[in-house]
Amino acid sequence: MIAALMLAVLPTEAQQVKYSIDGISKENGKTVVLRDRRTNQVVDSAVVANGKFSMKGNAEKDAYMGVSVKDAMWSVMLFNDGTPLTINLNDSTLKGSPQNERLTRYDIDINAPYGNLMMKIQNMSAEERKAKELELAGGLMIAMMKMMEGIEKVFKDERETLIPVAFFSEYQSYFGQEKLDSVLATKPAWASHPIVKSQLDIAAYQKSLEEKKQAFVGQQFIDLEEADPDGKMHKLSEYVGKGKWVLVDFWASWCGPCKAEMPNVVAAYEKYHDKGFDIVGLSFDNKKEPWVKDIAELKMPWTHLSDLKGWKTVASEVYGVNSIPDNLLIDPQGKIVARGLRAQALQDKLKEIFE
């Protein structure tokens, strides 16, 4: 949703250049699509006949695009630089401008360690995968490290081309915004590409949201009122600021990451409840039935409240919740001391407090 919002404000008028793509594929009768990777829109398509396909037209200059059989997981990547292209979808290779040929080579080489491991795993039986679980986990770590090394090499060697654009999201994710900012400070040629600009705008927007959320830390909690599963209204102040440490947990039955995190929250409750730790769950559900069902199935014995208004819940408005799972850790006097504690971070904080 954020990406769509940012793309909507980008300039719509840009220089157009011709593209000419001839290709081969063994997928006779299937549709090959040319997709703009920034907007995710299909620009052109062609049906494979006698092992061949062809697409010609106009598109934004230097647009980052992908060619693939429709609905396939793998695409051959390219920049629309006006040079005619020949693509082999059978082995994902490309002939065209030097820039596009190097991009294809990088893409294949960087993804090879992970792809080879996944193919190996797919060919294993369930018993074999279970027996080699630790070995495969180690292999996955090695594959990811090799991918990171390959991407770092791209950003080092291709400063004056657009190729780093193709790996921008991964670089931002793997190496962090601080390192990315240091690279951008050198003003590489790829930094002005629309994809880079939109991704940076999204990152800045998300950072501003996070800063607003973290601004609650150090402040006194704000009271609100919602109903329990029996329909009885309760104020948050009935449970918070009464001498216990309280985790106010924002979650929903439809939220997969929330449910994945819940065993960790349950473990924290069981370990520290007798020492003065409590939890109040504030649900972002719309319907009572799945909310109540998951409370029981996930074995969450603490207080649960909801106004069943989904994202329009009062909890979202009062505490600026724009994504879940999220939570507030509140001290015995009612001051918010931490936010967004998940996984080991929650356990470490509670250990610091109680042990």
Side-chain angles (χ1 to χ4, degrees):
M1 289 170 63
I2 294 172
L5 175 64
M6 300 310 303
L7 291 174
V9 301
L10 288 173
T12 55
E13 294 184 8
Q15 182 182 349
Q16 300 284 301
V17 298
K18 291 182 179 180
Y19 61 82
S20 176
I21 302 172
D22 292 310
I24 62 174
S25 171
K26 61 185 178 182
E27 305 284 356
N28 281 314
K30 291 194 175 180
T31 301
V32 173
V33 296
L34 173 66
R35 190 182 296 274
D36 188 311
R37 300 285 291 185
R38 177 172 68 86
T39 64
N40 204 36
Q41 297 298 309
V42 173
V43 176
D44 203 347
S45 63
V47 176
V48 180
N50 299 318
K52 297 180 180 181
F53 64 90
S54 180
M55 292 181 283
K56 290 178 173 59
N58 294 300
E60 184 178 329
K61 185 180 185 302
D62 292 329
Y64 176 45
M65 310 172 91
V67 175
S68 68
V69 175
K70 189 176 182 181
D71 299 326
M73 295 293 291
W74 182 269
S75 297
V76 175
M77 302 305 178
L78 60 98
F79 290 100
N80 186 35
D81 56 16
T83 303
L85 298 164
T86 301
I87 293 176
N88 184 340
L89 288 182
N90 298 325
D91 62 8
S92 300
T93 57
L94 172 153
K95 290 184 179 179
S97 66
Q99 175 177 253
N100 277 328
E101 290 182 3
R102 290 203 308 281
L103 169 61
T104 303
R105 190 74 260 158
Y106 279 125
D107 201 26
I108 292 172
D109 291 347
I110 287 171
N111 285 284
Y114 182 79
N116 292 338
L117 179 61
M118 289 300 102
M119 189 174 297
K120 178 182 177 181
I121 292 173
Q122 288 172 4
N123 291 329
M124 288 181 173
S125 65
E127 293 77 13
E128 192 176 4
R129 286 197 293 268
K130 183 67 175 177
K132 296 185 176 182
E133 190 171 357
L134 288 177
E135 177 187 332
L136 294 174
L140 180 61
M141 288 290 292
I142 292 171
M144 295 301 290
M145 288 175 65
K146 287 182 177 178
M147 289 178 69
M148 291 169 66
E149 289 172 1
I151 290 171
E152 193 165 30
K153 178 176 171 56
V154 168
F155 276 72
K156 180 181 178 182
D157 296 347
E158 298 290 344
R159 280 183 41 81
E160 302 307 318
T161 74
L162 295 178
I163 292 174
V165 171
F167 305 97
F168 183 80
S169 293
E170 288 82 359
Y171 190 92
Q172 189 177 33
S173 176
Y174 290 152
F175 298 105
Q177 190 65 40
E178 185 175 346
K179 186 169 182 178
L180 177 60
D181 287 341
S182 68
V183 175
L184 289 169
T186 66
K187 299 183 179 180
W190 48 266
S192 60
H193 194 277
I195 284 182
V196 174
K197 289 184 175 181
S198 64
Q199 290 282 0
L200 291 174
D201 285 344
I202 291 168
Y205 179 64
Q206 290 174 329
K207 182 181 179 181
S208 70
L209 292 179
E210 187 61 29
E211 287 174 347
K212 289 178 181 177
K213 288 166 64 173
Q214 291 301 325
F216 286 92
V217 176
Q219 304 299 314
Q220 199 71 6
F221 85 97
I222 302 170
D223 207 4
L224 56 80
E225 188 175 30
E226 293 186 339
D228 66 18
D230 295 324
K232 184 179 178 181
M233 298 300 293
H234 293 273
K235 289 186 175 181
L236 190 58
S237 55
E238 294 176 36
Y239 315 99
V240 175
K242 301 296 184 182
K244 288 187 175 183
W245 286 87
V246 179
L247 186 75
V248 177
D249 190 40
F250 305 112
W251 75 291
S253 66
W254 48 259
C255 170
C258 300
K259 294 165 77 168
E261 172 68 9
M262 207 54 72
N264 182 56
V265 181
V266 171
Y269 181 85
E270 291 176 347
K271 188 172 183 178
Y272 296 109
H273 179 61
D274 290 342
K275 296 182 179 182
F277 175 61
D278 210 347
I279 300 175
V280 177
L282 299 184
S283 168
F284 281 54
D285 276 281
N286 291 289
K287 297 179 180 179
K288 179 179 177 179
E289 291 76 14
W291 172 44
V292 174
K293 178 173 175 286
D294 271 10
I295 291 172
E297 290 188 353
L298 295 171
K299 299 178 180 179
M300 302 185 287
W302 50 82
T303 298
H304 291 275
L305 305 175
S306 181
D307 52 17
L308 300 177
K309 292 181 179 180
W311 283 108
K312 294 182 179 180
T313 176
V314 64
S316 176
E317 179 182 348
V318 169
Y319 287 108
V321 182
N322 51 59
S323 63
I324 52 174
D326 192 6
N327 56 47
L328 305 169
L329 182 62
I330 304 177
D331 74 9
Q333 290 73 45
K335 185 173 75 174
I336 300 169
V337 298
R339 183 164 192 168
L341 295 172
R342 296 175 64 182
Q344 191 60 40
L346 175 62
Q347 300 293 339
D348 290 345
K349 187 65 177 178
L350 294 177
K351 182 177 180 180
E352 173 190 321
I353 292 168
F354 292 105
E355 297 182 16

